[in-house]
Amino acid sequence: MESITKNRQSPATLRAMIARAYGADQVPHEQSKDWVSELGHGWFNVAYRIRLRDGRQVVLKIAPPPHVEVMTYEHGAMAIELAALELIGKHTGVPVPALDYADRSHELCDADYFFMPYIDADNLGIVKDTLPPDELDAYNEALGAVTHELNSIRGQAFGPLAGPGDPSWRACFSRMIGDVLRDGERRAVDLGYDYSLIRDIITAHGDCLDEVTEPRFVEWDLWDSNVMVRDGRIVCVIDHERAFYGDPLIEAGFTATDLNAFGDPSAFIRGYGHAEFSDNERRRRRVYTLYLILIMIIETNYRGHADTRQYDWARDRLHEVMALFGKDPS
C-alpha cells in the first residue's frame, strides 16, 4: 500500500544496515540480483525482504521519516512494537517474530529500524478469499484464542506499554479519542459530522468505561492481514506497534459485532471464549468502533492517500456507527 510514511532507503544504506546487523560477511555481493524487494502490503512502515549472503531471508522494517507528520497515537510506534515483542515472548506462547537486531541510533538512516527473520507462510488477509469456509473459520477461531492469550498480560496502568499511564480506563480512552479528534481538526478532515457531536457522544457514554478496572495488554491491530498461516495453523502474528494496556473488548476481532462490513465475528468470539455481551459491554463496543472508524477516516490525510477508496468506505461506516447512537449526518 502506498503511503508518505514509508521511509524507503537506497541500496547502499540497506547494505550498511545489513553489515551492522549481521556483519560485513553477510552483505549481498555487488553483482547479486534480487537480493532485496519491498513488502508492499503494509500501510505505515516500509518493510524489505532481504536475502543475506548465506541464503537466509530476513525482513527489515523502518519507521517513518521524522519530517512526515503522523497521528498522535503513532508517535514512537516502533519502540512500542519492540516492547510488545518482548512482553509477548516473555508472558505468552503466541508466535511472534524473533528480533535479530534493532537500531535506534539514527546513524545510518533518520529513523528507528529492526531486522527479523522472514516468515515463510501465507498472509491470512491475502489468502482468505481463496480458503474453504471451514478452513477460514478455523483460522478465525484460532485468532480468537490467540487474542485471548495476548489479553492475559496484565499492566500496571492504562495506556502506553512503557508508561506513564492513566489510573482509570475512562481517562485513558478519553485522552486517546481526544487525540484522534484533534488530529482530524488540525488537518480539517471532513467527517460528515461536527467534531463537537462526536465529543458529546463520548462524554455521554463515558460511564460505561468505568466498568474496566484492570489494565490488560491489547494488540488492537490484530486483523487477518497481520496473521501468518501455514498448514492449518497460525505460525506468526506480526505488526505490534499499536499495542497498549486497556480493555480487551476494544480488540479488532470484536468490531464485526457492531458493523457487518467487518464480516462474521462468530468464529473469533468462539475461539476467544467470550459470553454474550452485557448492555454495558455493547455500549463500550460501539464507542470503540467509533474510535476505529475515526482513525480510518483521518489517517488517509496523514498517509497522503491520492486514492479516496478508504476514506469513502470509512465515511460510510461512520454513518452506520453514528446510527447506532441515534445520530444523523450533519
Side-chain angles (χ1 to χ4, degrees):
M1 305 296 181
E2 193 50 55
S3 171
I4 61 174
T5 59
K6 292 194 173 183
N7 193 358
R8 296 180 174 93
Q9 299 294 317
S10 68
T13 300
L14 296 178
R15 288 174 178 274
M17 290 175 166
I18 294 168
R20 176 167 291 192
Y22 297 101
D25 61 332
Q26 289 301 326
V27 177
H29 293 289
E30 288 289 344
Q31 65 273 26
S32 176
K33 295 181 180 180
D34 302 324
W35 60 273
V36 60
S37 60
E38 184 177 334
L39 298 172
H41 190 62
W43 288 90
F44 187 61
N45 301 299
V46 68
Y48 294 101
R49 178 177 176 177
I50 293 171
R51 187 177 65 254
L52 302 178
R53 191 179 297 189
D54 65 5
R56 281 180 294 160
Q57 295 195 71
V58 298
V59 171
L60 166 62
K61 193 170 181 179
I62 307 174
H67 67 273
V68 173
E69 185 181 23
V70 297
M71 295 182 68
T72 302
Y73 85 103
E74 295 173 323
H75 291 168
M78 187 157 286
I80 294 171
E81 177 157 22
L82 295 174
L85 288 171
E86 182 177 2
L87 278 169
I88 295 168
K90 182 178 180 180
H91 296 287
T92 79
V94 174
V96 295
L99 178 64
D100 282 351
Y101 182 83
D103 187 353
R104 302 181 64 190
S105 71
H106 298 184
E107 293 172 350
L108 298 181
C109 78
D110 56 4
D112 299 351
Y113 67 89
F114 71 87
F115 285 90
M116 59 186 179
Y118 173 74
I119 307 300
D120 185 16
D122 292 321
N123 185 299
L124 182 58
I126 294 175
V127 303
K128 63 180 180 181
D129 292 338
T130 69
L131 299 177
D134 59 338
E135 186 174 351
L136 182 57
D137 256 19
Y139 281 134
N140 284 327
E141 185 171 339
L143 182 55
V146 162
T147 303
H148 188 270
E149 186 172 357
L150 290 173
N151 296 157
S152 70
I153 302 172
R154 291 170 168 82
Q156 298 300 310
F158 293 100
L161 297 184
D166 291 294
S168 79
W169 176 233
R170 190 203 288 219
C172 178
F173 183 76
S174 297
R175 174 182 51 77
M176 289 165 59
I177 199 166
D179 286 343
V180 170
L181 291 170
R182 282 186 290 274
D183 288 340
E185 288 174 319
R186 185 164 55 250
R187 293 287 189 93
V189 178
D190 182 10
L191 302 176
Y193 299 86
D194 290 339
Y195 281 78
S196 60
L197 176 60
I198 306 291
R199 290 189 171 93
D200 288 344
I201 289 173
I202 300 306
T203 300
H205 292 272
D207 63 299
C208 71
L209 304 171
D210 293 334
E211 194 172 71
V212 183
T213 58
E214 184 177 44
R216 295 295 189 102
F217 180 94
V218 170
E219 182 78 0
W220 191 68
D221 200 31
L222 192 45
W223 304 99
D224 49 26
S225 58
N226 288 332
V227 177
M228 307 301 293
V229 299
R230 184 178 61 237
D231 299 330
R233 62 188 182 90
I234 294 175
V235 297
C236 195
V237 176
I238 60 174
D239 290 352
H240 306 271
E241 66 261 28
R242 288 167 173 77
F244 56 87
Y245 288 118
D247 177 8
L249 204 60
I250 200 173
E251 291 284 20
F254 291 111
T255 307
T257 62
D258 296 312
L259 298 180
N260 292 334
F262 287 88
D264 181 357
S266 56
F268 174 88
I269 292 176
R270 185 168 62 250
Y272 191 93
H274 197 286
E276 185 175 349
F277 289 168
S278 68
D279 290 343
N280 249 1
E281 287 177 327
R282 290 192 181 281
R283 291 173 65 205
R284 296 207 311 270
R285 265 301 333 153
R286 290 170 184 169
V287 171
Y288 300 155
T289 298
L290 174 60
Y291 172 70
L292 170 65
I293 299 303
L294 288 172
I295 289 177
M296 293 184 72
I297 294 172
I298 293 167
E299 72 179 4
T300 61
N301 185 289
Y302 284 82
R303 301 284 189 275
H305 290 178
D307 188 330
T308 66
R309 281 179 294 179
Q310 178 183 323
Y311 173 83
D312 295 338
W313 186 90
R315 277 281 300 263
D316 289 342
R317 302 292 78 75
L318 183 58
H319 294 324
E320 296 172 8
V321 177
M322 294 298 279
L324 297 175
F325 293 105
K327 305 298 181 182
D328 297 319
S330 58

